[in-house]
Amino acid sequence: HLMILGGLSDDGQTLNDCWIMNLSSFIWYQINLPDSVTKRYAHSMSTYYISKERFWIVVTGGYSEYNPSTKKALPITGSDITVIVELEYINDEWSVRGVWNTELEMQKIME
């Protein structure tokens, strides 16, 4: 699978969507996630394989807004700076099993 999350449009608008492409069938699936995960650009994203049907997306950093006239960007800070999303893929269907964006929540899932 290939995943695209967030980004910046040609006119300087922050995108807030998430798409996953099945590399065998070349079919795209849109995943609905909160803006705290998707509404960012110039961020880092990694995946952590848990099982054949389940994995985590770790999204960190980036910017949430860009003002083209001033050329200033608003960095993501606070509890949204790093977000973990758990996705499940069963019977060709994607589902979101959880979204964690605070240090306390992340500590709980790591135990």
Side-chain angles (χ1 to χ4, degrees), residues 5-22:
L5 183 135
L8 195 64
S9 70
D10 289 339
D11 63 351
Q13 298 298 310
T14 307
L15 303 174
N16 65 340
D17 52 355
C18 177
W19 293 87
I20 298 177
M21 183 174 73
N22 181 318

Side-chain angles (χ1 to χ4, degrees), residues 94-107:
W94 288 98
S95 62
V96 179
R97 296 194 37 96
V99 177
W100 301 276
N101 66 341
T102 67
E103 188 175 330
L104 181 59
E105 290 172 331
M106 288 182 205
Q107 286 174 353

